[in-house]
Amino acid sequence: MAKFKIATPAGASFTVAGGGYDDEMRELDGIDCEIVEGPTDEDGFARFAQDADVIYAKGMRFSKKLIDALPDRVRAIVLGSVGVDSVDVKAATARGIPVTNCPDTFIEEVADHAMMLLLSTFRRTIEQDRMVRENRWREGRPALLQIPRLMGQTLGLISFGHVARAVAKRAKPFGLRIMAYDPFIEELVMVEHGVLPATLEDVLSQSDFVSMHAPARPEVEGMLGEKHFKMMKKTAIFINTGRGPTVQEAALIKALEEKWIAYAGLDVLEIEPPGDNNPLLKMNNVILSAHTASASARFDPARKAHVGRELRLVLEGRWPMSCVNPAALQNATKLQRWQPISMERGPNS
């Protein structure tokens, strides 16, 4: 029996081919530990995890009930995703359990995807493709003569985290004016990226493209509703590569149906996958992708290696790199800070 038990619900954390824990265990070489799969229901997993040293959270929701049932010996809850909405972070903090994520593993891919949606919605790519296939060749040019050129348009970013900054970097060469709303980021940070700090109202009312990047946290659930879409230009395009629940989807559907806004490019939806009765599936002024913005050939190896490194740190008694609830590190755990200098990541910076 290994010295340390890493408890995880059975099954993959994402619907991708392959499986196993080779990538994680490669980073744990030399540590006497094993990753052990357990039940995927709350009560069953709580019993299974009573002798666990770390939780590798995937494939199920870690509610307050489940977190409160974990033993005191648990050193951390480690996630292999950017989003932490599957874990009740507040409950974990109350228990003094650090929660970690993968904050910078898929940034470039998601930013690429956001730019793809921006360009493809603006230039009506799907419609143009359909015209060619349906022998309506001559309709293509007149359709695009109705829209302005991209240079000089305004891109508004809601939230200014890693992905939004990467999107801003990509958008600049296209000649876009960029503004952003984020009450948790210093204005000077935006200015350093060539982005104009703005209120939410200004972003919505002035932007030709509004790109949503708010994280999936309780305080931003349903952040955008009818009143917000009514503030936007009738020619505006809404893009979301963040999280579906940050937007009131019924309000977005109404905005598209009633022409409050012109178009939408969505990688995320309120309920995934959507039901057959979701109106977005039948709209010609919407481009959809299946929550795939972060996907690339490096997706699984990179995130699993990150998980492995975090597991190693906490099993060695050290702070993890990407803790989303640093109060748990400062006040309640026996883990030790170890970085001698700022690494500009998480609570260690």
Side-chain angles (χ1 to χ4, degrees):
M1 181 179 293
K3 180 179 179 181
F4 298 113
K5 175 181 175 178
I6 302 167
T8 189
S13 54
F14 287 88
T15 53
V16 293
Y21 301 98
D22 291 347
D23 292 312
E24 293 93 336
M25 292 304 298
R26 196 172 296 114
E27 299 295 328
L28 288 161
D29 185 45
I31 303 291
D32 185 14
C33 65
E34 59 181 341
I35 299 174
V36 187
E37 292 189 337
T40 57
D41 65 286
E42 280 192 348
D43 293 336
F45 189 83
R47 290 191 295 270
F48 167 76
Q50 288 307 300
D51 58 347
D53 298 284
V54 188
I55 304 299
Y56 182 2
K58 58 179 178 60
M60 64 179 287
R61 173 157 179 76
F62 281 73
S63 65
K64 182 179 188 301
K65 175 186 174 183
L66 176 51
I67 290 170
D68 286 346
L70 294 176
D72 292 337
R73 64 184 289 159
V74 167
R75 303 185 183 194
I77 297 173
V78 178
L79 283 159
S81 60
V82 177
V84 295
D85 42 311
S86 63
V87 175
D88 189 326
V89 177
K90 184 177 180 180
T93 305
R95 286 288 316 275
I97 302 175
V99 178
T100 79
N101 68 337
C102 297
D104 54 7
T105 306
F106 329 121
I107 301 305
E108 305 302 329
E109 289 87 342
V110 179
D112 289 344
H113 203 88
M115 280 304 299
M116 179 274 292
L117 289 174
L118 186 155
L119 294 170
S120 59
T121 52
F122 183 66
R123 296 296 292 180
R124 310 301 197 253
T125 301
I126 301 297
E127 295 173 44
Q128 290 286 314
D129 175 84
R130 190 178 298 119
M131 288 175 187
V132 176
R133 295 175 189 274
E134 295 176 356
N135 196 27
R136 294 187 290 139
W137 182 276
R138 295 186 182 277
E139 297 179 33
R141 181 171 293 273
L144 292 182
L145 290 175
Q146 305 304 310
I147 64 174
R149 68 177 184 179
L150 184 61
M151 181 180 289
Q153 300 278 299
T154 297
L155 167 62
L157 305 168
I158 299 178
S159 186
F160 197 63
H162 293 307
V163 173
R165 297 176 201 189
V167 170
K169 182 179 180 180
R170 285 158 172 74
K172 277 286 181 182
F174 286 90
L176 287 166
R177 169 179 176 260
I178 307 172
M179 57 198 310
Y181 165 73
D182 193 324
F184 303 105
I185 299 292
E186 289 183 338
E187 289 189 354
L188 287 176
V189 173
M190 298 182 188
V191 173
E192 288 170 357
H193 286 81
V195 174
L196 178 68
T199 64
L200 178 60
E201 290 75 14
D202 284 344
V203 165
L204 294 171
S205 63
Q206 296 182 29
S207 298
D208 300 289
F209 306 91
V210 174
S211 189
M212 184 63 162
H213 298 283
R217 295 190 59 80
E219 58 268 26
V220 293
E221 185 172 334
M223 177 181 176
L224 297 186
E226 284 192 17
K227 70 174 184 178
H228 300 100
F229 290 111
K230 286 181 177 178
M231 293 180 192
M232 293 170 63
K233 297 179 181 180
K234 291 186 181 300
T235 55
I237 293 171
F238 179 72
I239 297 160
N240 193 357
T241 53
R243 283 293 188 271
T246 60
V247 178
Q248 296 173 32
E249 198 164 279
L252 173 59
I253 291 168
K254 189 173 182 180
L256 290 162
E257 288 177 336
E258 300 191 7
K259 309 300 182 185
W260 302 345
I261 64 174
Y263 224 99
L266 308 173
D267 183 57
V268 291
L269 300 172
E270 198 167 34
I271 297 175
E272 297 175 353
D276 293 339
N277 61 342
N278 190 321
L280 291 170
L281 302 181
K282 297 178 176 63
M283 290 184 173
N284 292 326
N285 57 342
V286 178
I287 291 179
L288 300 166
S289 55
H291 203 147
T292 55
S294 60
S296 71
R298 69 185 294 275
F299 176 80
D300 247 22
R303 71 178 184 83
K304 288 183 174 183
H306 182 95
V307 166
R309 290 191 293 271
E310 296 287 56
L311 292 170
R312 183 183 192 96
L313 285 170
V314 297
L315 289 177
E316 290 177 338
R318 299 188 287 174
W319 278 15
M321 290 292 292
S322 305
C323 182
V324 302
N325 58 340
L329 293 176
Q330 297 283 5
N331 302 324
T333 74
K334 297 179 181 179
L335 302 177
Q336 298 296 310
R337 177 171 180 162
W338 56 276
Q339 292 89 339
I341 59 175
S342 168
M343 299 187 73
E344 297 185 353
R345 294 177 64 190
N348 299 292
S349 59

